[in-house]
Amino acid sequence: MELSERQKSIIEIVKENEPISGDKIAEHLGLTKPTLRSDLAVLTMTGVLDARPKVGYIYSGLNFEPLLHDQLFETKISELMTSSIIVFPKTSILDATTSLFMYDSGSLYVTDENTGDLLGLVSRKDLLRSLLNNQDNELSVAVIMTRMPNIIVATPEMTILEAGSLIMKHEVDSLPVVEEKGSKKVIGKISKTRIMQHFIMMGSERNV
Amino acid sequence: MELSERQKSIIEIVKENEPISGDKIAEHLGLTKPTLRSDLAVLTMTGVLDARPKVGYIYSGLNFEPLLHDQLFETKISELMTSSIIVFPKTSILDATTSLFMYDSGSLYVTDENTGDLLGLVSRKDLLRSLLNNQDNELSVAVIMTRMPNIIVATPEMTILEAGSLIMKHEVDSLPVVEEKGSKKVIGKISKTRIMQHFIMMGSERNV
């Protein structure tokens, strides 16, 4: 559902002149009140305008409710991604684990030292497994990392719904965000934490 | 925004008689078509009904869009919680880590062997830190767990918005769900993963 141009004009008129009667709104638009009846019904029923008897229409301050779906699910990863923690293949398991704690991150991305291309991914779980198996902490992360092409990546153009579906489907904690489809240049990270935060913040804002 | 009784009746009439003209709908209700103009405008604009020229009104199969907010954010934790993995204070760090892998869980809840009361929580991060510090794997989890009352809990009556806000605020991966406020009886878990899954599934369903 999208608002018509006329409905958007009505909202602007109310914002500037509230409280304002239906007759006055019609006057502003050079139309008759009956012509506006459906528009005013839609705007009051969707909560954008408040209709107060004997006072007039008031702007409720609410966004247009049906836009909620788009704001929630169609937001691009480019607007949501956070910075990623990068290590190199020769970084030791010990140093990698230290970085993980230092940045309180759930996973580290392993890139080629020269090209910057994504080579692998090391998660908290990978490190835990390695330490549990008494693997030498001085071994390089290259030994334990999940390797390309077995890593699911996101692109900045993906929606939160697409990236979230991939995270769920592949049961991972985050996706490296690469420049574009087919690229191996990591430009950020989209995590479960960030996705949940987006939804909870959207929900909280609307309850204020 | 809530639908009026008349709007709900219109939806039922369309469902049973689609495609149906506005005149026919008015006839069903014993009203005139102009009387229904606002209602039909609201129902078509919110996407509940499709208006096809020269055919009539058709039910789109969509739920009423503004209900989205409630479905998304007001769902109770009782409907969302998953089962928790329980260990006892004397469980060794090694056995706890093994359980964590076996159940692919992000955290373990430590309860009193006799009373079942929540005593502590051990996360993947706690176990990783312990192994990194070369702590004896045979030590009990009681040594490394986060202890009550420093654990944030959820109750079945909380909404997903409340529980999600707590998870964000306290930067944890999950909350133990206890029977009721003040209780220490663990009845489940609400995790970041489960919360994200709820939102992504709601978004996916609506896009079908």
Side-chain angles (χ1 to χ4, degrees):
Chain A
M1 170 178 185
E2 284 194 19
L3 292 181
S4 67
E5 287 310 312
R6 191 199 279 167
Q7 288 162 351
K8 288 178 191 164
S9 303
I10 293 173
I11 295 172
E12 290 311 311
I13 291 166
V14 174
K15 275 186 187 173
E16 282 165 31
N17 303 280
E18 63 183 1
I20 180 171
S21 68
D23 287 324
K24 289 281 181 196
I25 297 172
E27 213 172 89
H28 270 270
L29 289 166
L31 297 167
T32 63
K33 196 183 164 191
T35 316
L36 295 185
R37 198 188 293 154
S38 299
D39 294 319
L40 288 170
V42 166
L43 291 172
T44 51
M45 288 214 55
T46 50
V48 178
L49 298 185
D50 270 351
R52 305 211 178 145
K54 296 183 188 171
V55 178
Y57 291 93
I58 290 174
Y59 177 58
S60 68
L62 277 184
N63 275 322
F64 181 51
E65 182 103 22
L67 293 177
L68 176 59
H69 183 274
D70 288 357
Q71 290 173 350
L72 279 171
F73 299 111
E74 303 296 320
T75 304
K76 297 285 183 197
I77 294 308
S78 54
E79 291 177 45
L80 295 169
M81 64 184 187
T82 53
S83 56
S84 53
I85 313 301
I86 301 287
V87 295
F88 301 122
K90 65 177 188 194
T91 306
S92 72
I93 292 174
L94 184 65
D95 287 347
T97 312
T98 307
S99 293
L100 200 101
F101 275 104
M102 200 186 316
Y103 298 103
D104 195 20
S105 178
S107 45
L108 304 168
Y109 302 149
V110 186
T111 64
D112 185 290
E113 213 159 338
N114 300 312
T115 63
D117 281 359
L118 181 66
L119 298 174
L121 182 153
V122 182
S123 70
R124 212 176 269 175
K125 214 160 105 181
D126 294 331
L127 292 169
L128 187 58
R129 190 186 294 112
S130 153
L131 292 177
L132 186 68
N133 294 338
N134 289 310
Q135 227 152 4
D136 182 357
N137 287 353
E138 296 302 329
L139 283 178
S140 70
V141 290
V143 177
I144 61 161
M145 70 184 184
T146 303
R147 287 169 182 280
M148 286 294 274
N150 302 316
I151 298 171
I152 313 299
V153 297
T155 60
E157 284 311 298
M158 271 187 187
T159 64
I160 188 169
L161 188 60
E162 291 168 322
S165 302
L166 285 174
I167 286 180
M168 265 175 58
K169 186 179 162 199
H170 297 282
E171 299 184 352
V172 292
D173 284 331
S174 75
L175 303 175
V177 182
V178 296
E179 264 180 359
E180 57 188 358
K181 204 165 174 252
S183 160
K184 289 182 177 178
K185 297 272 173 276
V186 181
I187 56 170
K189 176 172 101 161
I190 180 74
S191 67
K192 233 183 257 182
T193 305
R194 181 69 187 93
I195 292 178
M196 191 194 79
Q197 187 191 39
H198 165 78
F199 287 117
I200 297 297
M201 283 175 63
M202 292 288 301
S204 306
E205 275 171 27
R206 301 180 59 84
N207 273 358
V208 170
Chain B
M1 171 179 183
E2 284 195 19
L3 291 181
S4 66
E5 286 310 312
R6 191 198 279 167
Q7 288 162 350
K8 287 177 191 166
S9 303
I10 293 173
I11 295 172
E12 289 312 311
I13 292 166
V14 174
K15 275 186 185 173
E16 281 166 31
N17 303 281
E18 64 183 2
I20 180 172
S21 69
D23 286 324
K24 290 281 181 195
I25 296 171
E27 214 172 87
H28 271 269
L29 289 166
L31 298 166
T32 63
K33 196 182 165 189
T35 316
L36 295 185
R37 199 188 292 153
S38 299
D39 294 319
L40 288 169
V42 166
L43 291 173
T44 51
M45 288 213 57
T46 49
V48 178
L49 298 185
D50 271 351
R52 305 210 178 146
K54 295 184 189 170
V55 178
Y57 290 94
I58 289 173
Y59 176 59
S60 68
L62 277 185
N63 275 322
F64 182 51
E65 184 103 22
L67 293 178
L68 176 58
H69 184 274
D70 288 356
Q71 290 173 350
L72 279 170
F73 298 111
E74 303 297 320
T75 304
K76 297 285 182 197
I77 294 308
S78 53
E79 291 177 45
L80 295 169
M81 64 183 187
T82 53
S83 56
S84 53
I85 313 300
I86 300 289
V87 295
F88 301 123
K90 64 178 188 193
T91 306
S92 72
I93 292 174
L94 183 65
D95 286 348
T97 313
T98 308
S99 292
L100 199 101
F101 275 103
M102 200 185 315
Y103 298 102
D104 196 19
S105 179
S107 45
L108 304 169
Y109 301 149
V110 186
T111 64
D112 185 289
E113 212 158 338
N114 300 312
T115 62
D117 281 0
L118 181 66
L119 298 174
L121 182 153
V122 182
S123 70
R124 212 176 268 173
K125 215 161 105 182
D126 294 330
L127 292 169
L128 187 57
R129 189 185 293 112
S130 153
L131 292 177
L132 186 68
N133 295 339
N134 290 311
Q135 227 152 3
D136 182 356
N137 287 352
E138 296 302 329
L139 282 179
S140 70
V141 289
V143 177
I144 61 162
M145 69 184 184
T146 303
R147 288 172 182 276
M148 286 295 271
N150 302 315
I151 298 172
I152 313 300
V153 298
T155 60
E157 283 310 298
M158 273 187 186
T159 64
I160 189 170
L161 188 60
E162 291 167 324
S165 301
L166 284 175
I167 287 180
M168 266 175 59
K169 186 179 162 199
H170 297 281
E171 299 184 351
V172 292
D173 284 331
S174 74
L175 303 175
V177 182
V178 296
E179 264 180 359
E180 57 189 358
K181 205 165 174 251
S183 160
K184 289 181 176 179
K185 296 272 172 278
V186 181
I187 56 171
K189 176 173 100 160
I190 181 74
S191 67
K192 235 183 256 182
T193 305
R194 182 68 188 95
I195 292 178
M196 191 194 80
Q197 187 191 39
H198 165 78
F199 287 117
I200 297 298
M201 283 175 63
M202 292 289 300
S204 306
E205 274 170 28
R206 301 181 58 86
N207 274 358
V208 168

